[in-house]
Amino acid sequence: MDQDAYVTYHGNTEADREIAQRSVLFIDNETAAQVLTMEDTIEAVEESYREYGLGRATATRATHSVPRPGGDGWYTWDPMASALPKMDALAVRMKSDILPPGGAQVKKYCVAPGKFCGLILLFSTDDGAPLAIMNDGHIQHMRVGAAGAISVKHMAREDAAVLGLYGTAGMATAHALAIAKVRPIREIRVYSPNPEHRAAFADRTGANMGIPVAAVDDPRRVMEGADIVAACTNSLAPVVRGEWLEPGMHVLAVLPNEIDDDVFRRCHRYVYSRTPRTDYHVADPERRPAVGYEPIDTEWLEREERLLAREKRVFLSDVVLGNQPGRAAPEEVTCFVTQGIAIQFAAAARRVYEGARTRGLGHELPLSWFLQDISD
């Protein structure tokens, strides 16, 4: 069909001149790391929870999983979107992953093992313009670490000073940096099944943060005497056990499968950060991934409802707004699970965009490339 056959709109020369002067930024991980501080991320993400709790933000998520053409593993596309009018931001974050079959850990990739495709599209809620296309890697770690720190700010004891970590990759690093921004951390203990990984993490993090970091060879030692415990692994089996809990402890995890059922039973308060997710599959239920790398929301919800009394379960926005207490007594054991919520991406991506614009960073693409005269 010839383009001339479409009904198009012409004649707004003033708008065309303005559009010609505007650009869309492509922002890579290196640029995001230059402009996004952990303090900025915590501030922006906490504000996003306030806005969401007040009904002034939106958040959705869906996962599309289909068998690979060769039948070996699955392809998964995982988009999440949020509008934050106060920040003039709508962000769509999407991941394109190959999920190999089986395994006790998350091993996803795009194109080839060790390569990943995560993108954030940022739009203005003022005039609808696309503002930026970003790699999501650095922002992903920062926004999850910030959410963990927000839970610590509102739920951990004021004098909490000993942090126990499970995991030694980027999520663990981000949580250590973030939590130290909201509590006077003076000691960190870390465990990973790989001795070389935990030793390297201890040396690197200790030097970067100026805090003693001890690599321990027994996972239980992470929790002995710890005030805050953070699970930041890719394990599909629990790494935090309820039998290791101590009075006054605050436990947080990136995903619920990192903590065992006994943690849920024994904690006094459970705060979550989750919006409903729709899962789409083209195969019969018995052919779907048994677990995948993120168990579907219905499984998590069933577990929470089975193990936690309703009065124990609180959404993080209610704690941030002061509608619910994060901690009622020093001896309480509190628990927070981050999971994923799109408001974090919208808030953090907007800060990255502002920082890149202010400093003249990012690769400029003409705005006109993203606009058209053909109406829907």
Side-chain angles (χ1 to χ4, degrees), residues 27-39 41 93 118-120 134-146 170-171 173-174 177 344-345 348-349 352:
I27 301 173
D28 59 19
N29 286 318
E30 290 72 19
T31 299
Q34 289 183 60
V35 301
L36 185 65
T37 68
M38 187 56 77
E39 292 91 343
T41 312
R93 184 263 196 152
L119 298 172
I120 301 171
M134 308 182 189
N135 290 143
D136 79 332
H138 182 70
I139 295 172
Q140 159 74 349
H141 289 137
M142 295 288 279
R143 64 103 186 179
V144 178
M171 282 296 181
T173 300
L177 294 171
Q344 300 166 349
F345 280 109
V352 169

PDB file of all heavy atoms in Angstrom, residues 27-39 41 93 118-120 134-146 170-171 173-174 177 344-345 348-349 352:
ATOM      1  N   ILE A  27      20.846   6.051  26.327  1.00  0.00           N
ATOM      2  CA  ILE A  27      21.687   6.112  27.526  1.00  0.00           C
ATOM      3  C   ILE A  27      22.136   4.699  27.873  1.00  0.00           C
ATOM      4  O   ILE A  27      21.303   3.831  28.178  1.00  0.00           O
ATOM      5  CB  ILE A  27      20.916   6.742  28.705  1.00  0.00           C
ATOM      6  CG1 ILE A  27      20.466   8.169  28.333  1.00  0.00           C
ATOM      7  CG2 ILE A  27      21.753   6.738  29.970  1.00  0.00           C
ATOM      8  CD1 ILE A  27      19.545   8.811  29.357  1.00  0.00           C
ATOM      9  N   ASP A  28      23.439   4.463  27.814  1.00  0.00           N
ATOM     10  CA  ASP A  28      23.959   3.141  28.149  1.00  0.00           C
ATOM     11  C   ASP A  28      24.253   3.032  29.640  1.00  0.00           C
ATOM     12  O   ASP A  28      24.100   3.998  30.397  1.00  0.00           O
ATOM     13  CB  ASP A  28      25.191   2.809  27.301  1.00  0.00           C
ATOM     14  CG  ASP A  28      26.322   3.812  27.493  1.00  0.00           C
ATOM     15  OD1 ASP A  28      26.330   4.545  28.498  1.00  0.00           O
ATOM     16  OD2 ASP A  28      27.215   3.854  26.615  1.00  0.00           O
ATOM     17  N   ASN A  29      24.651   1.837  30.060  1.00  0.00           N
ATOM     18  CA  ASN A  29      24.895   1.601  31.486  1.00  0.00           C
ATOM     19  C   ASN A  29      26.002   2.490  32.034  1.00  0.00           C
ATOM     20  O   ASN A  29      25.932   2.950  33.180  1.00  0.00           O
ATOM     21  CB  ASN A  29      25.249   0.129  31.715  1.00  0.00           C
ATOM     22  CG  ASN A  29      24.044  -0.779  31.611  1.00  0.00           C
ATOM     23  OD1 ASN A  29      22.966  -0.462  32.098  1.00  0.00           O
ATOM     24  ND2 ASN A  29      24.217  -1.923  30.969  1.00  0.00           N
ATOM     25  N   GLU A  30      27.036   2.737  31.227  1.00  0.00           N
ATOM     26  CA  GLU A  30      28.146   3.558  31.698  1.00  0.00           C
ATOM     27  C   GLU A  30      27.684   4.987  31.991  1.00  0.00           C
ATOM     28  O   GLU A  30      28.083   5.593  33.003  1.00  0.00           O
ATOM     29  CB  GLU A  30      29.273   3.560  30.664  1.00  0.00           C
ATOM     30  CG  GLU A  30      30.014   2.241  30.516  1.00  0.00           C
ATOM     31  CD  GLU A  30      29.210   1.165  29.818  1.00  0.00           C
ATOM     32  OE1 GLU A  30      28.219   1.518  29.123  1.00  0.00           O
ATOM     33  OE2 GLU A  30      29.538  -0.030  29.965  1.00  0.00           O
ATOM     34  N   THR A  31      26.850   5.524  31.126  1.00  0.00           N
ATOM     35  CA  THR A  31      26.325   6.872  31.357  1.00  0.00           C
ATOM     36  C   THR A  31      25.410   6.894  32.573  1.00  0.00           C
ATOM     37  O   THR A  31      25.476   7.815  33.401  1.00  0.00           O
ATOM     38  CB  THR A  31      25.561   7.360  30.116  1.00  0.00           C
ATOM     39  OG1 THR A  31      26.459   7.400  28.997  1.00  0.00           O
ATOM     40  CG2 THR A  31      24.982   8.741  30.337  1.00  0.00           C
ATOM     41  N   ALA A  32      24.544   5.888  32.700  1.00  0.00           N
ATOM     42  CA  ALA A  32      23.656   5.822  33.863  1.00  0.00           C
ATOM     43  C   ALA A  32      24.453   5.791  35.157  1.00  0.00           C
ATOM     44  O   ALA A  32      24.096   6.438  36.149  1.00  0.00           O
ATOM     45  CB  ALA A  32      22.746   4.601  33.764  1.00  0.00           C
ATOM     46  N   ALA A  33      25.562   5.062  35.156  1.00  0.00           N
ATOM     47  CA  ALA A  33      26.389   4.971  36.361  1.00  0.00           C
ATOM     48  C   ALA A  33      27.039   6.305  36.703  1.00  0.00           C
ATOM     49  O   ALA A  33      27.303   6.598  37.878  1.00  0.00           O
ATOM     50  CB  ALA A  33      27.457   3.896  36.182  1.00  0.00           C
ATOM     51  N   GLN A  34      27.298   7.123  35.699  1.00  0.00           N
ATOM     52  CA  GLN A  34      27.906   8.433  35.954  1.00  0.00           C
ATOM     53  C   GLN A  34      26.937   9.409  36.604  1.00  0.00           C
ATOM     54  O   GLN A  34      27.351  10.277  37.366  1.00  0.00           O
ATOM     55  CB  GLN A  34      28.397   9.040  34.638  1.00  0.00           C
ATOM     56  CG  GLN A  34      29.617   8.382  34.021  1.00  0.00           C
ATOM     57  CD  GLN A  34      30.055   9.116  32.766  1.00  0.00           C
ATOM     58  OE1 GLN A  34      30.394  10.298  32.796  1.00  0.00           O
ATOM     59  NE2 GLN A  34      30.044   8.410  31.647  1.00  0.00           N
ATOM     60  N   VAL A  35      25.664   9.302  36.287  1.00  0.00           N
ATOM     61  CA  VAL A  35      24.720  10.342  36.701  1.00  0.00           C
ATOM     62  C   VAL A  35      23.782   9.928  37.828  1.00  0.00           C
ATOM     63  O   VAL A  35      23.172  10.793  38.467  1.00  0.00           O
ATOM     64  CB  VAL A  35      23.879  10.823  35.502  1.00  0.00           C
ATOM     65  CG1 VAL A  35      24.777  11.380  34.411  1.00  0.00           C
ATOM     66  CG2 VAL A  35      22.982   9.720  34.947  1.00  0.00           C
ATOM     67  N   LEU A  36      23.650   8.629  38.110  1.00  0.00           N
ATOM     68  CA  LEU A  36      22.683   8.176  39.109  1.00  0.00           C
ATOM     69  C   LEU A  36      23.392   7.764  40.390  1.00  0.00           C
ATOM     70  O   LEU A  36      24.077   6.744  40.423  1.00  0.00           O
ATOM     71  CB  LEU A  36      21.863   7.011  38.564  1.00  0.00           C
ATOM     72  CG  LEU A  36      20.722   6.505  39.461  1.00  0.00           C
ATOM     73  CD1 LEU A  36      19.649   7.579  39.635  1.00  0.00           C
ATOM     74  CD2 LEU A  36      20.110   5.228  38.898  1.00  0.00           C
ATOM     75  N   THR A  37      23.227   8.544  41.446  1.00  0.00           N
ATOM     76  CA  THR A  37      23.794   8.183  42.740  1.00  0.00           C
ATOM     77  C   THR A  37      22.790   7.349  43.524  1.00  0.00           C
ATOM     78  O   THR A  37      21.578   7.373  43.250  1.00  0.00           O
ATOM     79  CB  THR A  37      24.146   9.432  43.562  1.00  0.00           C
ATOM     80  OG1 THR A  37      22.922  10.101  43.935  1.00  0.00           O
ATOM     81  CG2 THR A  37      25.034  10.372  42.784  1.00  0.00           C
ATOM     82  N   MET A  38      23.269   6.627  44.513  1.00  0.00           N
ATOM     83  CA  MET A  38      22.366   5.839  45.340  1.00  0.00           C
ATOM     84  C   MET A  38      21.441   6.735  46.155  1.00  0.00           C
ATOM     85  O   MET A  38      20.260   6.424  46.347  1.00  0.00           O
ATOM     86  CB  MET A  38      23.154   4.901  46.269  1.00  0.00           C
ATOM     87  CG  MET A  38      22.268   3.940  47.044  1.00  0.00           C
ATOM     88  SD  MET A  38      21.198   2.904  45.997  1.00  0.00           S
ATOM     89  CE  MET A  38      22.373   1.683  45.414  1.00  0.00           C
ATOM     90  N   GLU A  39      21.951   7.871  46.606  1.00  0.00           N
ATOM     91  CA  GLU A  39      21.091   8.808  47.347  1.00  0.00           C
ATOM     92  C   GLU A  39      19.929   9.281  46.472  1.00  0.00           C
ATOM     93  O   GLU A  39      18.773   9.333  46.921  1.00  0.00           O
ATOM     94  CB  GLU A  39      21.897  10.012  47.821  1.00  0.00           C
ATOM     95  CG  GLU A  39      22.927   9.706  48.899  1.00  0.00           C
ATOM     96  CD  GLU A  39      24.298   9.347  48.329  1.00  0.00           C
ATOM     97  OE1 GLU A  39      24.377   9.015  47.119  1.00  0.00           O
ATOM     98  OE2 GLU A  39      25.272   9.378  49.092  1.00  0.00           O
ATOM     99  N   THR A  41      18.673   7.723  43.905  1.00  0.00           N
ATOM    100  CA  THR A  41      17.784   6.599  43.625  1.00  0.00           C
ATOM    101  C   THR A  41      16.846   6.340  44.792  1.00  0.00           C
ATOM    102  O   THR A  41      15.637   6.148  44.605  1.00  0.00           O
ATOM    103  CB  THR A  41      18.600   5.332  43.316  1.00  0.00           C
ATOM    104  OG1 THR A  41      19.621   5.629  42.367  1.00  0.00           O
ATOM    105  CG2 THR A  41      17.694   4.244  42.761  1.00  0.00           C
ATOM    106  N   ARG A  93       9.744  -0.911  30.969  1.00  0.00           N
ATOM    107  CA  ARG A  93      10.969  -1.704  31.042  1.00  0.00           C
ATOM    108  C   ARG A  93      10.650  -3.102  30.520  1.00  0.00           C
ATOM    109  O   ARG A  93       9.649  -3.705  30.897  1.00  0.00           O
ATOM    110  CB  ARG A  93      11.472  -1.779  32.480  1.00  0.00           C
ATOM    111  CG  ARG A  93      12.805  -2.505  32.626  1.00  0.00           C
ATOM    112  CD  ARG A  93      12.650  -3.951  33.018  1.00  0.00           C
ATOM    113  NE  ARG A  93      13.905  -4.516  33.506  1.00  0.00           N
ATOM    114  CZ  ARG A  93      13.989  -5.508  34.380  1.00  0.00           C
ATOM    115  NH1 ARG A  93      12.895  -6.055  34.876  1.00  0.00           N
ATOM    116  NH2 ARG A  93      15.165  -5.957  34.763  1.00  0.00           N
ATOM    117  N   GLY A 118      17.951  -5.860  28.247  1.00  0.00           N
ATOM    118  CA  GLY A 118      16.952  -5.191  29.069  1.00  0.00           C
ATOM    119  C   GLY A 118      16.923  -3.729  28.682  1.00  0.00           C
ATOM    120  O   GLY A 118      17.968  -3.066  28.689  1.00  0.00           O
ATOM    121  N   LEU A 119      15.763  -3.221  28.311  1.00  0.00           N
ATOM    122  CA  LEU A 119      15.641  -1.848  27.838  1.00  0.00           C
ATOM    123  C   LEU A 119      14.567  -1.101  28.613  1.00  0.00           C
ATOM    124  O   LEU A 119      13.571  -1.697  29.050  1.00  0.00           O
ATOM    125  CB  LEU A 119      15.277  -1.820  26.352  1.00  0.00           C
ATOM    126  CG  LEU A 119      16.271  -2.438  25.376  1.00  0.00           C
ATOM    127  CD1 LEU A 119      15.656  -2.494  23.975  1.00  0.00           C
ATOM    128  CD2 LEU A 119      17.573  -1.644  25.364  1.00  0.00           C
ATOM    129  N   ILE A 120      14.779   0.195  28.773  1.00  0.00           N
ATOM    130  CA  ILE A 120      13.779   1.076  29.365  1.00  0.00           C
ATOM    131  C   ILE A 120      13.443   2.150  28.337  1.00  0.00           C
ATOM    132  O   ILE A 120      14.337   2.821  27.810  1.00  0.00           O
ATOM    133  CB  ILE A 120      14.296   1.743  30.655  1.00  0.00           C
ATOM    134  CG1 ILE A 120      14.682   0.693  31.692  1.00  0.00           C
ATOM    135  CG2 ILE A 120      13.232   2.688  31.233  1.00  0.00           C
ATOM    136  CD1 ILE A 120      15.405   1.261  32.895  1.00  0.00           C
ATOM    137  N   MET A 134      17.075   3.379  27.235  1.00  0.00           N
ATOM    138  CA  MET A 134      18.188   3.108  28.161  1.00  0.00           C
ATOM    139  C   MET A 134      18.457   1.618  28.297  1.00  0.00           C
ATOM    140  O   MET A 134      17.530   0.807  28.270  1.00  0.00           O
ATOM    141  CB  MET A 134      17.859   3.640  29.563  1.00  0.00           C
ATOM    142  CG  MET A 134      17.423   5.072  29.625  1.00  0.00           C
ATOM    143  SD  MET A 134      17.118   5.577  31.353  1.00  0.00           S
ATOM    144  CE  MET A 134      16.355   7.182  31.080  1.00  0.00           C
ATOM    145  N   ASN A 135      19.733   1.266  28.486  1.00  0.00           N
ATOM    146  CA  ASN A 135      20.061  -0.041  29.057  1.00  0.00           C
ATOM    147  C   ASN A 135      19.502  -0.090  30.469  1.00  0.00           C
ATOM    148  O   ASN A 135      19.517   0.921  31.184  1.00  0.00           O
ATOM    149  CB  ASN A 135      21.565  -0.256  29.119  1.00  0.00           C
ATOM    150  CG  ASN A 135      22.224  -0.442  27.762  1.00  0.00           C
ATOM    151  OD1 ASN A 135      23.326   0.017  27.539  1.00  0.00           O
ATOM    152  ND2 ASN A 135      21.556  -1.119  26.834  1.00  0.00           N
ATOM    153  N   ASP A 136      19.038  -1.257  30.892  1.00  0.00           N
ATOM    154  CA  ASP A 136      18.422  -1.324  32.227  1.00  0.00           C
ATOM    155  C   ASP A 136      19.352  -1.865  33.303  1.00  0.00           C
ATOM    156  O   ASP A 136      19.014  -1.855  34.476  1.00  0.00           O
ATOM    157  CB  ASP A 136      17.165  -2.187  32.180  1.00  0.00           C
ATOM    158  CG  ASP A 136      17.464  -3.680  32.180  1.00  0.00           C
ATOM    159  OD1 ASP A 136      18.552  -4.075  31.691  1.00  0.00           O
ATOM    160  OD2 ASP A 136      16.625  -4.461  32.656  1.00  0.00           O
ATOM    161  N   GLY A 137      20.555  -2.338  32.930  1.00  0.00           N
ATOM    162  CA  GLY A 137      21.385  -3.080  33.880  1.00  0.00           C
ATOM    163  C   GLY A 137      21.739  -2.328  35.149  1.00  0.00           C
ATOM    164  O   GLY A 137      21.482  -2.792  36.264  1.00  0.00           O
ATOM    165  N   HIS A 138      22.342  -1.141  35.005  1.00  0.00           N
ATOM    166  CA  HIS A 138      22.739  -0.377  36.191  1.00  0.00           C
ATOM    167  C   HIS A 138      21.516   0.098  36.963  1.00  0.00           C
ATOM    168  O   HIS A 138      21.477   0.002  38.205  1.00  0.00           O
ATOM    169  CB  HIS A 138      23.599   0.821  35.775  1.00  0.00           C
ATOM    170  CG  HIS A 138      24.076   1.632  36.935  1.00  0.00           C
ATOM    171  ND1 HIS A 138      25.020   1.184  37.830  1.00  0.00           N
ATOM    172  CD2 HIS A 138      23.700   2.874  37.381  1.00  0.00           C
ATOM    173  CE1 HIS A 138      25.231   2.098  38.755  1.00  0.00           C
ATOM    174  NE2 HIS A 138      24.437   3.129  38.509  1.00  0.00           N
ATOM    175  N   ILE A 139      20.520   0.584  36.249  1.00  0.00           N
ATOM    176  CA  ILE A 139      19.299   1.050  36.918  1.00  0.00           C
ATOM    177  C   ILE A 139      18.619  -0.096  37.654  1.00  0.00           C
ATOM    178  O   ILE A 139      18.089   0.095  38.755  1.00  0.00           O
ATOM    179  CB  ILE A 139      18.352   1.688  35.879  1.00  0.00           C
ATOM    180  CG1 ILE A 139      18.990   2.945  35.292  1.00  0.00           C
ATOM    181  CG2 ILE A 139      16.998   2.017  36.505  1.00  0.00           C
ATOM    182  CD1 ILE A 139      18.229   3.539  34.120  1.00  0.00           C
ATOM    183  N   GLN A 140      18.629  -1.291  37.060  1.00  0.00           N
ATOM    184  CA  GLN A 140      18.023  -2.453  37.712  1.00  0.00           C
ATOM    185  C   GLN A 140      18.612  -2.696  39.097  1.00  0.00           C
ATOM    186  O   GLN A 140      17.907  -2.850  40.086  1.00  0.00           O
ATOM    187  CB  GLN A 140      18.207  -3.677  36.812  1.00  0.00           C
ATOM    188  CG  GLN A 140      18.093  -5.025  37.487  1.00  0.00           C
ATOM    189  CD  GLN A 140      16.669  -5.399  37.846  1.00  0.00           C
ATOM    190  OE1 GLN A 140      15.761  -4.586  37.780  1.00  0.00           O
ATOM    191  NE2 GLN A 140      16.472  -6.639  38.238  1.00  0.00           N
ATOM    192  N   HIS A 141      19.939  -2.726  39.188  1.00  0.00           N
ATOM    193  CA  HIS A 141      20.580  -2.961  40.482  1.00  0.00           C
ATOM    194  C   HIS A 141      20.309  -1.817  41.451  1.00  0.00           C
ATOM    195  O   HIS A 141      20.038  -2.045  42.638  1.00  0.00           O
ATOM    196  CB  HIS A 141      22.087  -3.150  40.291  1.00  0.00           C
ATOM    197  CG  HIS A 141      22.442  -4.435  39.636  1.00  0.00           C
ATOM    198  ND1 HIS A 141      23.388  -4.528  38.650  1.00  0.00           N
ATOM    199  CD2 HIS A 141      21.973  -5.683  39.815  1.00  0.00           C
ATOM    200  CE1 HIS A 141      23.503  -5.786  38.251  1.00  0.00           C
ATOM    201  NE2 HIS A 141      22.647  -6.508  38.946  1.00  0.00           N
ATOM    202  N   MET A 142      20.380  -0.601  40.953  1.00  0.00           N
ATOM    203  CA  MET A 142      20.192   0.558  41.826  1.00  0.00           C
ATOM    204  C   MET A 142      18.770   0.626  42.379  1.00  0.00           C
ATOM    205  O   MET A 142      18.563   0.896  43.564  1.00  0.00           O
ATOM    206  CB  MET A 142      20.523   1.836  41.065  1.00  0.00           C
ATOM    207  CG  MET A 142      21.972   1.961  40.639  1.00  0.00           C
ATOM    208  SD  MET A 142      23.103   2.297  42.009  1.00  0.00           S
ATOM    209  CE  MET A 142      22.875   4.073  42.178  1.00  0.00           C
ATOM    210  N   ARG A 143      17.768   0.373  41.541  1.00  0.00           N
ATOM    211  CA  ARG A 143      16.384   0.513  42.007  1.00  0.00           C
ATOM    212  C   ARG A 143      16.025  -0.588  43.002  1.00  0.00           C
ATOM    213  O   ARG A 143      15.293  -0.349  43.961  1.00  0.00           O
ATOM    214  CB  ARG A 143      15.427   0.538  40.815  1.00  0.00           C
ATOM    215  CG  ARG A 143      15.369  -0.746  39.979  1.00  0.00           C
ATOM    216  CD  ARG A 143      14.141  -1.582  40.256  1.00  0.00           C
ATOM    217  NE  ARG A 143      14.204  -2.855  39.550  1.00  0.00           N
ATOM    218  CZ  ARG A 143      13.260  -3.783  39.641  1.00  0.00           C
ATOM    219  NH1 ARG A 143      12.197  -3.584  40.388  1.00  0.00           N
ATOM    220  NH2 ARG A 143      13.401  -4.920  38.993  1.00  0.00           N
ATOM    221  N   VAL A 144      16.549  -1.809  42.814  1.00  0.00           N
ATOM    222  CA  VAL A 144      16.265  -2.883  43.766  1.00  0.00           C
ATOM    223  C   VAL A 144      16.987  -2.619  45.083  1.00  0.00           C
ATOM    224  O   VAL A 144      16.420  -2.793  46.169  1.00  0.00           O
ATOM    225  CB  VAL A 144      16.656  -4.257  43.191  1.00  0.00           C
ATOM    226  CG1 VAL A 144      16.389  -5.351  44.213  1.00  0.00           C
ATOM    227  CG2 VAL A 144      15.868  -4.548  41.921  1.00  0.00           C
ATOM    228  N   GLY A 145      18.249  -2.191  45.012  1.00  0.00           N
ATOM    229  CA  GLY A 145      18.968  -1.837  46.236  1.00  0.00           C
ATOM    230  C   GLY A 145      18.288  -0.713  46.987  1.00  0.00           C
ATOM    231  O   GLY A 145      18.197  -0.729  48.212  1.00  0.00           O
ATOM    232  N   ALA A 146      17.787   0.276  46.240  1.00  0.00           N
ATOM    233  CA  ALA A 146      17.093   1.401  46.866  1.00  0.00           C
ATOM    234  C   ALA A 146      15.835   0.941  47.582  1.00  0.00           C
ATOM    235  O   ALA A 146      15.535   1.390  48.693  1.00  0.00           O
ATOM    236  CB  ALA A 146      16.751   2.455  45.820  1.00  0.00           C
ATOM    237  N   GLY A 170      26.051  -8.203  41.477  1.00  0.00           N
ATOM    238  CA  GLY A 170      25.658  -6.798  41.475  1.00  0.00           C
ATOM    239  C   GLY A 170      24.574  -6.446  42.456  1.00  0.00           C
ATOM    240  O   GLY A 170      24.590  -5.358  43.056  1.00  0.00           O
ATOM    241  N   MET A 171      23.591  -7.335  42.651  1.00  0.00           N
ATOM    242  CA  MET A 171      22.511  -7.048  43.598  1.00  0.00           C
ATOM    243  C   MET A 171      23.043  -6.927  45.021  1.00  0.00           C
ATOM    244  O   MET A 171      22.596  -6.076  45.797  1.00  0.00           O
ATOM    245  CB  MET A 171      21.440  -8.130  43.537  1.00  0.00           C
ATOM    246  CG  MET A 171      20.499  -8.008  42.362  1.00  0.00           C
ATOM    247  SD  MET A 171      19.515  -6.497  42.443  1.00  0.00           S
ATOM    248  CE  MET A 171      18.523  -6.716  40.964  1.00  0.00           C
ATOM    249  N   THR A 173      26.077  -6.029  45.905  1.00  0.00           N
ATOM    250  CA  THR A 173      26.824  -4.770  45.975  1.00  0.00           C
ATOM    251  C   THR A 173      25.876  -3.593  46.141  1.00  0.00           C
ATOM    252  O   THR A 173      26.089  -2.712  46.987  1.00  0.00           O
ATOM    253  CB  THR A 173      27.672  -4.582  44.715  1.00  0.00           C
ATOM    254  OG1 THR A 173      28.609  -5.663  44.600  1.00  0.00           O
ATOM    255  CG2 THR A 173      28.429  -3.272  44.761  1.00  0.00           C
ATOM    256  N   ALA A 174      24.817  -3.563  45.331  1.00  0.00           N
ATOM    257  CA  ALA A 174      23.860  -2.461  45.409  1.00  0.00           C
ATOM    258  C   ALA A 174      23.188  -2.402  46.771  1.00  0.00           C
ATOM    259  O   ALA A 174      22.978  -1.314  47.326  1.00  0.00           O
ATOM    260  CB  ALA A 174      22.810  -2.610  44.307  1.00  0.00           C
ATOM    261  N   LEU A 177      25.641  -0.964  49.411  1.00  0.00           N
ATOM    262  CA  LEU A 177      25.784   0.489  49.260  1.00  0.00           C
ATOM    263  C   LEU A 177      24.538   1.220  49.731  1.00  0.00           C
ATOM    264  O   LEU A 177      24.622   2.247  50.413  1.00  0.00           O
ATOM    265  CB  LEU A 177      26.064   0.824  47.791  1.00  0.00           C
ATOM    266  CG  LEU A 177      27.395   0.348  47.209  1.00  0.00           C
ATOM    267  CD1 LEU A 177      27.418   0.559  45.700  1.00  0.00           C
ATOM    268  CD2 LEU A 177      28.559   1.071  47.871  1.00  0.00           C
ATOM    269  N   GLN A 344       9.470   1.856  40.334  1.00  0.00           N
ATOM    270  CA  GLN A 344      10.901   2.024  40.613  1.00  0.00           C
ATOM    271  C   GLN A 344      11.660   2.414  39.345  1.00  0.00           C
ATOM    272  O   GLN A 344      12.540   3.274  39.378  1.00  0.00           O
ATOM    273  CB  GLN A 344      11.463   0.725  41.187  1.00  0.00           C
ATOM    274  CG  GLN A 344      10.814   0.269  42.478  1.00  0.00           C
ATOM    275  CD  GLN A 344      11.171  -1.172  42.808  1.00  0.00           C
ATOM    276  OE1 GLN A 344      11.737  -1.895  41.990  1.00  0.00           O
ATOM    277  NE2 GLN A 344      10.839  -1.590  44.019  1.00  0.00           N
ATOM    278  N   PHE A 345      11.322   1.770  38.226  1.00  0.00           N
ATOM    279  CA  PHE A 345      11.986   2.089  36.967  1.00  0.00           C
ATOM    280  C   PHE A 345      11.629   3.484  36.483  1.00  0.00           C
ATOM    281  O   PHE A 345      12.485   4.221  35.999  1.00  0.00           O
ATOM    282  CB  PHE A 345      11.620   1.060  35.901  1.00  0.00           C
ATOM    283  CG  PHE A 345      12.395  -0.213  36.011  1.00  0.00           C
ATOM    284  CD1 PHE A 345      11.780  -1.372  36.433  1.00  0.00           C
ATOM    285  CD2 PHE A 345      13.743  -0.251  35.705  1.00  0.00           C
ATOM    286  CE1 PHE A 345      12.490  -2.549  36.545  1.00  0.00           C
ATOM    287  CE2 PHE A 345      14.471  -1.424  35.812  1.00  0.00           C
ATOM    288  CZ  PHE A 345      13.840  -2.578  36.240  1.00  0.00           C
ATOM    289  N   ALA A 348      13.571   6.038  38.762  1.00  0.00           N
ATOM    290  CA  ALA A 348      15.020   6.029  38.559  1.00  0.00           C
ATOM    291  C   ALA A 348      15.396   6.462  37.148  1.00  0.00           C
ATOM    292  O   ALA A 348      16.364   7.205  36.944  1.00  0.00           O
ATOM    293  CB  ALA A 348      15.574   4.634  38.857  1.00  0.00           C
ATOM    294  N   ALA A 349      14.642   6.003  36.157  1.00  0.00           N
ATOM    295  CA  ALA A 349      14.946   6.373  34.766  1.00  0.00           C
ATOM    296  C   ALA A 349      14.795   7.874  34.555  1.00  0.00           C
ATOM    297  O   ALA A 349      15.573   8.491  33.818  1.00  0.00           O
ATOM    298  CB  ALA A 349      14.048   5.604  33.807  1.00  0.00           C
ATOM    299  N   VAL A 352      17.890   9.489  35.812  1.00  0.00           N
ATOM    300  CA  VAL A 352      19.000   9.270  34.882  1.00  0.00           C
ATOM    301  C   VAL A 352      18.884  10.211  33.694  1.00  0.00           C
ATOM    302  O   VAL A 352      19.874  10.835  33.259  1.00  0.00           O
ATOM    303  CB  VAL A 352      19.028   7.803  34.409  1.00  0.00           C
ATOM    304  CG1 VAL A 352      20.005   7.621  33.245  1.00  0.00           C
ATOM    305  CG2 VAL A 352      19.417   6.885  35.559  1.00  0.00           C
TER     306      VAL A 352
END
